[in-house]
Amino acid sequence: MKHLLAPLIAAATLVSALPVSAQQPTPETAPAGVLFWSPADRERVFRTMDTVLPHAPVSRGDGPVRALPEGAPIDLDPSAYMADQRVAGVLVIQDGKVRLERYGLGIDADTRWVSFSMTKSLTSTLVGAALKSGAIGSLEDPVTRYLPALAGGGYDGVTVRQLLTMTSGVGWNEDYFDPNADVARFLQEPAVAGRDPVVSYMARLPRAHPPGTQWNYSTGETNLVGALVAAAENKPLAQLLSEQIWSRAGMQADAVWALDQGGREIGGCCVSAVLRDWGRIGLMALEDGVVGGERLVPDDWFAQAVTKQAETGTPGEGYGFQWWTQDDGVYGAYGIFGQTIRVDPERNLVIVLLSAWPNAVGRTHSAARRAFFDQVVRAVDAAPQD
């Protein structure tokens, strides 16, 4: 699970206003400082991330809000789980109706909460939208067609599909304990006028495996996905997210997207949005990418995106187009500290958790989350919608 720490470390290199108890004297130790924020600092920052990192606005526009009517309540009190696991929001939607909604840690229905790696699934959906618009010609196109600064290095011959599935074969070190690891360094690349510093860093990485043969979790690679779709559409990611999804999917509030050292949106991290709007993202996926009555992505996009495209080494699980998949058909978007969108197509069910776990990741936390999911599923199955 340690690969899920990557967005936290990426964000840490950009933090210029850390809580006093988390401040560290050097950039090399800043990531460790983030890991050891006090619970109060962590919870405050997660609900006010746009005051800590520079952000771009994601406008919902002036269209109608998608109604999420009240459904039959399920017989489940999440209070104990929320208190134990420091959960800020729980939302259970079935058949488009809210069956459970609860808030904690000082937030309410109007409070934005940071997503960390849940953002990856939004970025990949923007690739699908660019395919539909024709801005991206094919998933089999070489990535260097859209990011020519990558030419001549490890990304020669790598396709858009391989970038989406993290099977480029390009070497990448995600070890957050290593201060010289790529994940600790790529967002420290100096910004140079006219260049994307993340692309510049990634262009220097060597090839470790033939493209398409090895899955390797790479936060830098998701940032490349974001850079690629922004280049193909010739628009910033926040503008694309607003135009393609946020203003069309009936969102209730504007979101914000954190920027990197070059002033560009971090493709793999850090959209902040309200709980119900994260639920609407789950519904967008569940409804095959239809937003505002119109299909956002090609007909077969979600059929590919949320099914196993690469083996991750965990039995029964896999990786799609920046979505985590299960062999039973359930899929999800996950971020460190417990951020979750879990989609269960068989039950027409979306579960969203916004959290500030005491640790970024951990088997105990993951087991508690799985147990809570099991509770939700049992409660839903015991009391079907009318």
Side-chain angles (χ1 to χ4, degrees):
M1 293 291 290
K2 72 180 180 182
H3 55 260
L4 297 178
L5 282 165
L8 179 69
I9 296 165
T13 64
L14 303 175
V15 172
S16 59
L18 292 175
V20 172
S21 63
Q23 288 177 1
Q24 300 290 322
T26 68
E28 289 76 11
T29 58
V34 177
L35 293 174
F36 297 104
W37 280 354
S38 72
D41 282 338
R42 181 183 302 120
E43 292 160 18
R44 182 172 64 252
V45 171
F46 285 8
R47 63 178 177 258
T48 59
M49 188 66 83
D50 51 332
T51 69
V52 176
L53 297 177
H55 278 74
V58 180
S59 172
R60 67 161 302 276
D62 55 6
V65 174
R66 174 175 180 166
L68 295 177
E70 296 300 317
I74 57 174
D75 184 16
L76 176 63
D77 182 355
S79 300
Y81 172 72
M82 293 178 71
D84 182 60
Q85 294 295 311
R86 307 306 296 166
V87 175
V90 174
L91 182 65
V92 177
I93 303 172
Q94 188 180 34
D95 300 328
K97 298 179 180 179
V98 175
R99 304 200 65 184
L100 177 66
E101 183 174 11
R102 191 72 61 84
Y103 294 92
L105 305 187
I107 81 166
D108 58 27
D110 297 317
T111 307
R112 290 192 291 253
W113 193 266
V114 69
S115 60
F116 293 109
S117 277
M118 288 201 306
T119 295
K120 286 179 167 66
S121 303
L122 291 177
T123 300
S124 80
T125 304
L126 294 178
V127 174
L131 274 172
K132 190 170 188 296
S133 73
I136 294 176
S138 168
L139 291 183
E140 313 315 321
D141 286 349
V143 297
T144 52
R145 178 172 300 174
Y146 304 96
L147 296 173
L150 292 176
Y155 284 96
D156 279 344
V158 172
T159 66
V160 176
R161 181 185 298 276
Q162 290 161 349
L163 196 66
L164 278 172
T165 58
M166 296 190 184
T167 59
S168 69
V170 172
W172 173 268
N173 182 350
E174 192 88 8
D175 184 356
Y176 66 90
F177 292 111
D178 181 357
N180 293 314
D182 298 301
V183 71
R185 297 171 55 197
F186 83 116
L187 286 181
Q188 298 178 18
E189 178 80 7
V192 177
R195 298 181 184 178
D196 183 328
V198 172
V199 173
S200 296
Y201 183 92
M202 302 297 287
R204 298 197 300 269
L205 298 178
R207 176 165 293 168
H209 305 280
T213 63
Q214 183 76 34
W215 181 81
N216 181 44
Y217 193 88
S218 169
T219 294
E221 206 129 277
T222 310
N223 280 44
L224 283 186
V225 173
L228 186 149
V229 71
E233 293 277 19
N234 196 29
K235 293 179 180 179
L237 288 177
Q239 182 179 344
L240 289 170
L241 182 59
S242 172
E243 293 176 354
Q244 299 288 1
I245 299 176
W246 233 255
S247 65
R248 299 166 60 188
M251 301 304 193
Q252 72 184 52
D254 294 345
V256 292
W257 199 333
L259 303 177
D260 66 17
Q261 74 274 36
R264 295 170 175 86
E265 295 83 352
I266 303 172
C269 184
C270 303
V271 169
S272 295
V274 302
L275 178 66
R276 282 194 167 208
D277 285 346
W278 288 119
R280 292 179 175 99
I281 292 299
L283 289 173
M284 175 197 71
L286 184 62
E287 295 166 357
D288 204 28
V290 175
V291 293
E294 181 182 354
R295 184 175 297 280
L296 168 66
V297 292
D299 291 349
D300 63 346
W301 176 262
F302 275 99
Q304 298 181 76
V306 300
T307 56
K308 184 187 295 185
Q309 302 292 324
E311 295 284 351
T312 64
T314 300
E317 298 182 2
Y319 202 68
F321 294 166
Q322 310 283 309
W323 293 85
W324 296 92
T325 70
Q326 296 178 197
D327 290 353
D328 62 2
V330 173
Y331 57 90
Y334 297 96
I336 53 171
F337 291 105
Q339 323 317 324
T340 306
I341 301 173
R342 182 182 188 271
V343 181
D344 183 341
E346 180 182 352
R347 293 177 173 83
N348 207 29
L349 180 69
V350 174
I351 305 172
V352 182
L353 301 176
L354 301 179
S355 303
W357 284 351
N359 306 102
V361 295
R363 292 183 178 181
T364 300
H365 301 307
S366 296
R369 178 169 57 185
R370 287 193 299 271
F372 181 70
F373 290 158
D374 289 343
Q375 287 183 293
V376 172
V377 168
R378 287 196 298 268
V380 164
D381 288 350
Q385 292 270 26
D386 295 334

